[in-house]
Amino acid sequence: MKRNRVISYVIGFFILFSSWFFEGCITGNEKEYETWSHYLGDKSVSHYSSLNEIDTNNVQQLKIAWEFHSGDADTQTHSRIECNPIIVNGILYGVSPQLKLFALDAADGRAKWVFDPFLGNVKKEISLSRGVTYWSDGNEGRILYTVGSFLYAIDASTGKKILSFGEDGRVDLHDGLDRDVKKLWIEASSPGIIYKDVIIIGSRVGERDEAAPGHIRAFDVRTGKRRWIFHTIPQPGELGYDTWENKDAWKYVGGANSWAGMSLDEKRGVVYVSTGSATHDFYGGFRVGQNLFADCVIALEAATGKYVWHFQTVHHNLWDMDNSAPPNLVTIERDGKKIDAVVQITKAGYAFVLDRDSGKPLFPVDEIAVNDISTLPGEKPWPTQPVPQLPKPFGLSVFTEADINPYVSEASKEMVRKRLLQLENGNDTKVGNRFLPPSEKGTLVFPGFGGGGEWGGAAYDPTTGLIYINANQIPCELTIVKKSETQDSKVTTVFDRGRIVYFNNCMACHGKNREGTENYPSLKNMEVKYSSSTMMELINNGRRMMPAFSQINEDDKKALITFLLDKKTEGALAFKNSETEDQNGAVEKSPFIPYTMTGYIRMNTPEGYPAIKPPWGTLTAININTGENVWEIPLGEYKELTKRGIPITGTSNYGGAVVTSGGLLFIAATLDNKFRAYNKRTGQLLWETDLPASGFATPSTYRVNGKQYIVIACGGGMLGTPSGDSYVAFALP
């Protein structure tokens, strides 16, 4: 017995040692994965680090090494931090809730400098920022990051603007789009990516009615001059133009934008871009057709922007099912050969695996027939949609009566049951609740508007071939309603006009009764928080998830403010529009879109929990060589449910994971303010700690002075959580 036990120990040690040795050698150049000098780890967006000082044996010893407070959280307006910081030469660069750029000593968190983009006479545009970009020619270093509609170049050593870049150190992203979009909203929430001496960048634009196009551009990192542009909405004579039945669509359709980011293969000199839907998100009657290059993975020559290949993941998108993260560059093994590939995750819960050189799927993709009959005049849904056979969906697709949340009252279950039966639900189709044409009756959308996969993206471990995806499993409902015509004969008062402006422009995010939806706050009792002037500033400049509405004319803005601030005396006055309709938009005015939607509505029970049974948030490990799931666990916890003896349910989650050579996967992302470490091979929870605010961001890990750190931005502010202002770094004692 004793001899057998010794033999078992020896065999076990050999297996474990072989695993460690294999993991340490297979990647070739491990130096590539030791730093965190790029957004999401490296230009292939792997989220992977070869650092292994922190491992499965000692992770429980992690302690806070330092905490940096920016001091500018705004709990009233639900500020947040979504930044994945970068670390270069021992300096950490990150962004605060109010978009201040800062440099910290990565060993102790002490600030070296802070750049405030709003000092002086600068319009305040509080947008989203998920990271920054570093460039150096060996002599100087620059940080490039976006604030509102501007791309800034900042000296990495001093925090000062580089005045020779663009105009006064910044480039206006409204410029150089080959269309006049001065009155339209544009920003870039995800950082650009550097190829030699250019920064390649996408954008975040409006999603309804008049919106800027999401063309991909490259700017000279020294001068800020545009070097190239790729039209994601093709113009006459360009590839893809014939996929838009309305041949003037390129003049006014917006979107088809790379809001989630991109990856780069420097050896090939190719940038891989993910794009989202074209506008209007939920009604496509004025953009009938397949709609290239919306909802595509696009490969472009990084030096010139020249087209290489594309693969479309959704045809004629009507559900906001964007490619929700930058493509991961991976290498798969098949028949003894290694194949460089691209993995694209989507909000619909699919992962497409494509050949990096040709764009052809490496697992079979079926074009599944879907319902192509719409009840909305002018709409023509595409008759098929691509569905990969492998990997299997990481997002659920069917919500039936049998799936109703079992942990609520019988009365609540009955309310959910009735609503489920009222909606178009598609449970008898091959694709379940996906790809059902939007309607005025109401349509079930599952996975919901927040994924499936989201902007946190997938983490890829090159040593094991596993890819890790955190996802949401929250059913939503989409209800289309007719807009009020711009010139409504029933409008007699300022209050009536304000109500219609709200209905046409604001309801889709903030709900029919201003109650708030998904990640959009309630607009009730606004008079307590805002004055007319601060409301006008908000409408003109936007804030975080809210776009600017500078295209709305001044009379309509004032009427909207009167409505939102419940100014009864002013609201009772007769409405007079002093501006002509031709003044109310861009040079190429889009057609009047006759429909909007009632909001990003989650299907919840009266108790406030998702209407479907758990899990509501998941973390899945997939073997990218075989396409098979290795493990899947719920991600996140409602403590009050756990106390009732209910198994861990998972929660909504935003932000990605980091996977390491130490056998660990780190992720925050959840509603419960937790930061967790899992065994990357089994999904076993090894460590968790409370954060000062929810970490809706992707962590970074790095080494300074021989010591490994893991840092996470704690900004909260989403899904009703309190806002925070800190970055917290952990290390071994």
Side-chain angles (χ1 to χ4, degrees):
M1 287 288 293
K2 189 174 181 180
R3 181 172 177 271
N4 290 340
R5 190 179 305 151
V6 170
I7 293 173
S8 297
Y9 287 156
V10 171
I11 293 173
F13 176 79
F14 176 77
I15 292 172
L16 186 61
F17 176 80
S18 299
S19 173
W20 288 341
F21 180 81
F22 179 73
E23 185 167 323
C25 295
I26 194 170
T27 58
N29 184 13
E30 283 290 279
K31 288 285 185 183
E32 177 184 358
Y33 298 109
E34 284 189 0
T35 64
W36 204 274
S37 55
H38 303 284
Y39 177 58
L40 303 180
D42 48 59
K43 293 182 181 181
S44 66
V45 296
S46 70
H47 303 228
Y48 174 77
S49 173
S50 61
L51 300 180
N52 58 12
E53 177 191 352
I54 305 169
D55 61 25
T56 56
N57 294 314
N58 60 27
V59 66
Q60 292 184 351
Q61 300 174 33
L62 283 179
K63 302 293 182 185
I64 294 177
W66 57 259
E67 183 172 1
F68 170 77
H69 288 272
S70 63
D72 60 351
D74 187 344
T75 56
Q76 179 174 302
T77 64
H78 312 283
S79 69
R80 58 181 77 172
I81 315 172
E82 297 181 355
C83 180
N84 172 241
I86 61 173
I87 298 88
V88 182
N89 299 325
I91 306 299
L92 181 146
Y93 300 96
V95 178
S96 79
Q98 303 297 320
L99 300 184
K100 295 176 183 177
L101 175 69
F102 54 77
L104 308 179
D105 186 316
D108 58 22
R110 295 181 182 179
K112 291 183 169 292
W113 54 255
V114 177
F115 168 73
D116 186 346
F118 302 121
L119 289 179
N121 188 25
V122 178
K123 183 173 74 170
K124 194 164 188 176
E125 296 179 270
I126 302 296
S127 52
L128 294 171
S129 178
R130 293 182 180 132
V132 303
T133 307
Y134 176 82
W135 171 84
S136 175
D137 62 358
N139 297 313
E140 64 163 322
R142 296 185 177 191
I143 300 295
L144 296 108
Y145 91 119
T146 54
V147 178
S149 55
F150 292 96
L151 172 65
Y152 282 81
I154 306 298
D155 188 302
S157 59
T158 67
K160 304 295 184 182
K161 285 190 295 185
I162 298 174
L163 300 181
S164 59
F165 181 84
E167 184 176 339
D168 191 33
R170 63 185 194 174
V171 169
D172 190 340
L173 295 177
H174 287 95
D175 298 334
L177 275 173
D178 297 344
R179 217 171 94 185
D180 187 345
V181 297
K182 280 296 183 184
K183 289 189 175 183
L184 303 180
W185 175 69
I186 182 171
E187 64 176 44
S189 49
S190 297
I193 201 163
I194 297 289
Y195 179 72
K196 296 183 178 178
D197 61 350
V198 298
I199 180 169
I200 307 166
I201 194 166
S203 59
R204 183 167 169 250
V205 298
E207 298 185 340
R208 282 167 288 281
D209 295 16
E210 291 176 305
H215 304 326
I216 311 302
R217 289 171 289 175
F219 296 96
D220 189 298
V221 295
R222 293 184 174 87
T223 67
K225 292 182 179 179
R226 193 188 85 179
R227 293 274 283 269
W228 58 256
I229 187 170
F230 177 81
H231 296 136
T232 58
I233 302 173
Q235 299 185 4
E238 295 179 338
L239 179 69
Y241 174 70
D242 60 353
T243 67
W244 302 75
E245 289 188 21
N246 186 333
K247 299 309 178 186
D248 287 333
W250 65 276
K251 296 180 180 180
Y252 56 79
V253 170
N257 54 312
S258 180
W259 61 268
M262 52 195 72
S263 53
L264 176 72
D265 186 325
E266 289 190 290
K267 292 181 180 178
R268 285 175 168 82
V270 175
V271 61
Y272 299 88
V273 179
S274 63
T275 61
S277 62
T279 57
H280 184 288
D281 264 6
F282 305 105
Y283 177 75
F286 293 100
R287 56 171 175 88
V288 172
Q290 188 178 352
N291 299 158
L292 295 179
F293 291 94
D295 304 290
C296 284
V297 183
I298 313 168
L300 304 173
E301 288 185 0
T304 65
K306 182 180 177 182
Y307 169 89
V308 179
W309 58 256
H310 79 275
F311 181 89
Q312 192 172 47
T313 58
V314 184
H315 310 314
H316 190 68
N317 192 345
L318 298 173
W319 310 272
D320 194 26
M321 288 184 183
D322 296 346
N323 293 319
S324 50
N328 297 86
L329 304 188
V330 308
T331 300
I332 72 170
E333 292 189 14
R334 183 165 294 174
D335 300 325
K337 296 181 180 179
K338 292 185 177 181
I339 304 171
D340 288 340
V342 178
V343 177
Q344 180 64 61
I345 68 167
T346 75
K347 282 188 183 180
Y350 294 135
F352 292 89
V353 184
L354 311 171
D355 186 281
R356 207 182 300 180
D357 290 319
S358 67
K360 293 181 179 179
L362 293 172
F363 294 103
V365 174
D366 299 323
E367 282 288 335
I368 300 293
V370 296
N371 183 353
D372 61 347
I373 305 299
S374 174
T375 58
L376 304 179
E379 183 59 88
K380 292 172 64 177
W382 200 258
T384 63
Q385 293 294 345
V387 176
Q389 292 183 12
L390 289 171
K392 296 294 185 184
F394 57 85
L396 301 175
S397 65
V398 175
F399 177 24
T400 69
E401 291 183 61
D403 302 310
I404 293 174
N405 186 338
Y407 303 119
V408 295
S409 69
E410 290 303 318
S412 295
K413 293 176 189 176
E414 185 58 27
M415 290 178 65
V416 172
R417 186 177 295 109
K418 287 180 178 179
R419 185 56 184 149
L420 188 58
L421 293 176
Q422 290 169 350
L423 296 170
E424 299 283 0
N425 57 54
N427 286 325
D428 57 345
T429 68
K430 288 185 178 180
V431 290
N433 308 137
R434 298 180 179 95
F435 311 124
L436 301 172
S439 68
E440 293 176 272
K441 176 182 176 182
T443 304
L444 181 63
V445 178
F446 188 48
F449 298 119
E454 259 293 347
W455 49 263
Y460 167 63
D461 188 336
T463 69
T464 62
L466 298 187
I467 194 162
Y468 303 88
I469 306 169
N470 55 299
N472 295 308
Q473 314 283 0
I474 312 292
C476 297
E477 54 183 272
L478 167 61
T479 303
I480 300 295
V481 292
K482 286 187 175 71
K483 279 185 180 179
S484 297
E485 291 288 349
T486 306
Q487 297 295 333
D488 192 323
S489 60
K490 295 180 181 179
V491 174
T492 58
T493 68
V494 173
F495 196 87
D496 287 338
R497 182 61 179 180
R499 176 179 50 79
I500 285 177
V501 175
Y502 175 85
F503 189 90
N504 289 350
N505 295 278
C506 312
M507 177 179 64
C509 292
H510 297 285
K512 193 172 183 179
N513 299 309
R514 294 189 281 166
E515 68 273 21
T517 63
E518 188 75 6
N519 279 314
Y520 301 92
S522 167
L523 296 186
K524 293 182 176 181
N525 303 315
M526 295 292 283
E527 65 276 10
V528 176
K529 299 179 181 179
Y530 293 92
S531 65
S532 294
S533 60
T534 54
M535 279 295 297
M536 183 64 78
E537 180 182 351
L538 181 62
I539 291 168
N540 284 332
N541 299 336
R543 181 189 289 142
R544 285 182 282 276
M545 291 293 289
M546 175 184 167
F549 287 93
S550 53
Q551 74 273 21
I552 299 176
N553 72 40
E554 291 302 306
D555 292 317
D556 280 352
K557 290 176 187 175
K558 291 175 182 177
L560 174 62
I561 291 169
T562 299
F563 171 72
L564 290 175
L565 299 185
D566 197 25
K567 296 190 171 187
K568 293 181 172 60
T569 301
E570 294 178 20
L573 299 175
F575 176 76
K576 294 180 181 179
N577 190 351
S578 60
E579 299 189 48
T580 65
E581 288 302 311
D582 289 337
Q583 294 173 306
N584 186 26
V587 172
E588 288 289 348
K589 185 172 174 61
S590 65
F592 176 72
I593 305 294
Y595 296 100
T596 184
M597 45 98 82
T598 58
Y600 296 87
I601 299 172
R602 291 181 165 211
M603 287 191 69
N604 282 344
T605 68
E607 292 85 352
Y609 300 111
I612 195 171
K613 65 185 179 184
W616 302 321
T618 56
L619 180 61
T620 304
I622 300 171
N623 185 326
I624 207 64
N625 297 308
T626 65
E628 299 292 344
N629 285 9
V630 177
W631 52 259
E632 182 172 288
I633 58 172
L635 177 63
E637 178 185 14
Y638 288 93
K639 289 184 179 179
E640 69 274 18
L641 297 181
T642 305
K643 288 179 180 178
R644 288 170 49 190
I646 296 170
I648 301 296
T649 61
T651 74
S652 294
N653 54 92
Y654 290 91
V658 166
V659 61
T660 76
S661 180
L664 298 169
L665 183 139
F666 289 96
I667 190 167
T670 52
L671 276 173
D672 54 19
N673 287 28
K674 294 287 189 180
F675 189 28
R676 296 176 169 92
Y678 296 92
N679 184 311
K680 70 180 184 180
R681 296 181 182 276
T682 65
Q684 179 188 2
L685 178 64
L686 300 178
W687 171 82
E688 65 179 6
T689 189
D690 290 314
L691 297 174
S694 291
F696 297 126
T698 301
S700 305
T701 188
Y702 60 94
R703 181 163 55 198
V704 176
N705 301 328
K707 191 176 189 67
Q708 183 183 356
Y709 298 80
I710 180 91
V711 63
I712 179 72
C714 307
M718 295 179 68
L719 301 168
T721 59
S723 297
D725 71 343
S726 67
Y727 285 68
V728 181
F730 297 86
L732 295 175

